[in-house]
Amino acid sequence: QVQLVESGGGLVQAGGSLSLSCTASGSIFSINAMGWYRQAPGKQRELVAREARGGSTNYADSVKGRFTISRDNVKNTVYLQMNSLKPEDTAVYYCNAQITSTTKIAYDYWGQGTQVTVSA
């Protein structure tokens, strides 16, 4: 009933840039927060960046100053601009959204994941 569709992953050299986008659609009543998580093989999924209601943002220490999250509430879309990429940024990146559906039930929805690979 609610879907998150991601785009923008790919292969880039260290020091390069990449942009991700994620659009939510379906039976949406409201979106309280949207953000990005990433997961590498054998590691736990970790928060990269998140923007909540009111525009407050949170970033992982490892990406501060390099990544920027932005959100378009009209388009139900969240973006992640990634600059100065490092090999350790290599992971599958997942879009996440805290969404209240038209049934008035809140739930964390996830995108399908997009691979970001940074070569040395």
Side-chain angles (χ1 to χ4, degrees):
Q1 298 179 17
V2 175
Q3 304 86 38
L4 301 180
V5 179
E6 305 176 25
S7 63
L11 175 66
V12 66
Q13 290 186 336
S17 299
L18 202 61
S19 297
L20 306 180
S21 66
C22 172
T23 299
S25 63
S27 302
I28 299 171
F29 180 77
S30 64
I31 301 178
N32 189 56
M34 300 187 78
W36 295 91
Y37 292 71
R38 66 187 181 187
Q39 187 169 24
K43 298 181 180 179
Q44 289 187 321
R45 187 172 299 184
E46 64 175 350
L47 173 70
V48 177
R50 183 175 183 268
E51 183 167 343
R53 178 176 296 182
S56 62
T57 58
N58 292 286
Y59 292 91
D61 289 340
S62 60
V63 307
K64 287 182 179 178
R66 300 188 298 120
F67 292 9
T68 302
I69 188 170
S70 60
R71 180 177 169 185
D72 187 328
N73 292 323
V74 175
K75 297 180 179 179
N76 291 336
T77 299
V78 64
Y79 307 90
L80 186 68
Q81 177 65 46
M82 303 182 290
N83 299 322
S84 301
L85 283 162
K86 305 175 180 179
E88 51 262 44
D89 295 318
T90 296
V92 177
Y93 284 68
Y94 295 91
C95 176
N96 170 263
Q98 184 185 75
I99 295 175
T100 300
S101 71
T102 53
T103 65
K104 304 300 190 294
I105 299 175
Y107 191 77
D108 282 343
Y109 293 90
W110 295 91
Q112 79 277 13
T114 185
Q115 178 70 48
V116 172
T117 302
V118 184
S119 62

